[in-house]
Amino acid sequence: AEYMGEFPNHVFDNVASATSTKMDSAQRRLNVLAAHLLENQPTASVLLAAEPTADGIRAAAPPSRRLPVTGKQAAIGAAAVVVAGTVFYHTRLREISIDQLEGKNFDYIVVGAGSAGCALAARLSEDPTAQVLLIEAGPPDSKKEIHAPYAWPLQMGDPTVDWSFVTQPQPHLNHRHVRWPRGKVLGGSSALNVMIYMRGNKADYDMWRDQFGCEGWGYADVLPYFKKSEHNTTHKNEFHGNQGPLRVTHLDSYAPVTDRFLDACQKAGVPLNDDFNGSVQDGAGKNQFTIKDGERCSSAAGYLKAALSRANLTVLVNATCTRVLLDKGRAMGVGVASERMGHESRIYARHEVVLCAGAIGSPHILQLSGIGAREEVEAVGIKSEVHLPGVGKNLQDHPFLIMPYFLNEKGLTLDNADTMLNILRWTLFKSGPISSPGCEASVFLRSDASLPYPDMQLHFYALAGQNEHGQAQMKYYLQPTNPLDLANRYRLKGWDKVLFKRGHLEGCIVVPTLLHAKSRGYIRVNSKDPFEPPLIQPNYLQDPSDLDVAMFGLKSARRIIGEMRGGSLDNEMEPGHDLQTDEELRAWIRDRLMTCYHPAGTCKMGAVQDPTTVLDSMLRVKGVEGLRVADCSIMPEIVSGNTNAPVMMIGEKAADLILANRTRHNKKQ
């Protein structure tokens, strides 16, 4: 409906509507729903719409005031139907434009409202005396598919919420370009990802401290920040937090094929592990997810939404940071613009600017500001301000392979989960298959027993219909054809004919993922135009040992699937049972390897005397006062697992470092 009268273009946190011939029953359900929403969201606004009439509906707005809302004639069914139209808890913002902030001063400016940025801005604004500005290049997280876990692929490749980066040709992948999705929306990539909660290995952080000189970043140092951020509904022990803003949980139910896969892991000699983030990471087990009450719990949902009521926090969306403003070696603020060739507005920071724009965005902004390798910034006509050759270098990722399998039985997977009944069940109760992201289990392995941490992760998807967005065989996402079709079926180009021809409608996917690839790449400014994406060169498989680890992962997946009922190698779609020799499999890997969406390392933290580092262990940019970076780009070595949880931890720790410096500054004054 189009809201008129008192609600012109008004956005509510929640809208519930009822259409029924049995209005009393429907009204009672709506009242219960509204009471539940208000009880659990005390700062939320709720529009309760009821009483369909010939010329629209009438709405009862809590507590009891009645307001007219015109709209299309409400459909009246024979039985009671209640539809919670937007019980998607998207972030409500005060409308503000770039022009309104021109020349304004804030204590802190945080660039990038992703996993780290939302956490950092929320924590900084807990100090009521600190004026905080959070800048996001994308829109609010109002796209409904963001909040339905099963629908996560619908964000990939959508230019409204995805930067849709593409790499340079990969010399060791048959010169293929690889698509790199990154979040361009409140919540950043935590609004696009598969929601797996994984911290990595203890040895990762101890290596940061001992090998790279990152004082204060050992496992014992970062564990309190993981616990501070976490509200784990399952594990209550010394490794987990239960009071944090980020909801972490097991699914209410897992697909039957997931249990079969884990049984196969045991038969293949892989022990079970019920907590990858506890004392031991190795083994096979069910994933935990950042999901709250059946919906995605992104950094925007977990951190930012509760902080928006604070008068000292300002959030600016649809605003691209064009550069950091420098004066005599100090960061004075940022330039922002809403469109290419548009007016650059300047906003100033009294204390600090913090870049949280990710492993691509943060080094790119530094380079646009003249901070980086002198020859690289000057080559595109940018004046070199601080020669810092490590900016953009040390690019790392978790490359992976997709190995789909047919099943000889039906009803075991999530392939056909997107029925109208399941969608309605999720819409009303936030339960059922739509509340599962599909990637329900993981396996952590070591290709060499002497390694200090696992170097191979097998992601297990309880469906074969989830497609990837960069391969010829798995190219297109089908868009919803109606408002309730939140998930749609993700049919892979070229796969449908095989599936239907052979009579198989279900399957699963094993995804071998390299956790510590030795190949290194770079991010490099490509133009002085801030709207022109940088060059992205990950150099996949540049180091020959990465191909060996990929082979180990492929063969491990085959070994486990070989123990699984209904999943013999005769049912392997890719690479396919026809490919058996090492030469054939290595050629297939080069043709299929892609990204696991975890770029890191391009603003390397470490010892100040190390010429390859960009930041000290306090996250301060070397050679510039008042400028820090806090996101996945700071990692000197990528962690052993999915990166979302570690990046939120980085945001938490960065807030403490910044506020501690503020306290010292205030005492001096």
Side-chain angles (χ1 to χ4, degrees), residues 79-275:
V81 177
V82 180
V83 178
T86 52
V87 189
F88 307 98
Y89 295 143
H90 64 80
T91 310
R92 182 183 57 180
L93 297 174
R94 297 188 300 272
E95 292 186 9
I96 193 167
S97 68
I98 293 177
D99 293 340
Q100 289 176 276
L101 299 182
E102 172 81 56
K104 299 291 186 182
N105 285 273
F106 293 84
D107 291 309
Y108 302 104
I109 297 177
V110 179
V111 178
S115 298
C118 286
L120 176 59
R123 292 301 188 191
L124 290 177
S125 64
E126 288 178 354
D127 178 353
T129 67
Q131 293 295 318
V132 181
L133 172 64
L134 176 62
I135 300 174
E136 169 55 41
D141 55 344
S142 55
K143 185 172 182 278
K144 59 184 180 296
E145 291 86 359
I146 288 175
H147 307 278
Y150 187 78
W152 66 266
L154 295 179
Q155 279 64 261
M156 302 292 187
D158 180 350
T160 65
V161 296
D162 180 3
W163 284 99
S164 301
F165 292 118
V166 179
T167 72
Q168 295 296 293
Q170 296 305 289
H172 306 282
L173 301 184
N174 300 325
H175 298 280
R176 287 189 290 119
H177 296 267
V178 178
R179 293 190 181 184
W180 272 26
R182 305 308 300 156
K184 186 181 180 182
V185 61
L186 282 184
S189 294
S190 74
L192 273 65
N193 67 7
V194 194
M195 292 152 275
I196 296 172
Y197 183 81
M198 207 75 70
R199 298 175 179 174
N201 195 275
K202 298 177 183 179
D204 295 329
Y205 305 101
D206 289 340
M207 178 183 290
W208 289 8
R209 178 195 62 205
D210 300 335
Q211 183 173 323
F212 296 103
C214 301
E215 183 181 350
W217 289 89
Y219 179 72
D221 302 305
V222 301
L223 179 59
Y225 293 102
F226 278 118
K227 294 171 68 174
K228 183 179 181 181
S229 72
E230 181 188 23
H231 181 167
N232 198 301
T233 63
T234 305
H235 301 299
K236 303 181 188 300
N237 53 42
E238 68 272 24
F239 298 107
H240 293 281
N242 308 110
Q243 302 295 323
L246 184 69
R247 184 65 60 89
V248 178
T249 184
H250 279 105
L251 300 176
D252 291 338
S253 63
Y254 289 77
V257 71
T258 300
D259 289 318
R260 289 198 181 184
F261 175 74
L262 294 176
D263 288 342
C265 288
Q266 287 185 285
K267 292 177 183 177
V270 181
L272 293 184
N273 185 347
D274 68 347
D275 183 10

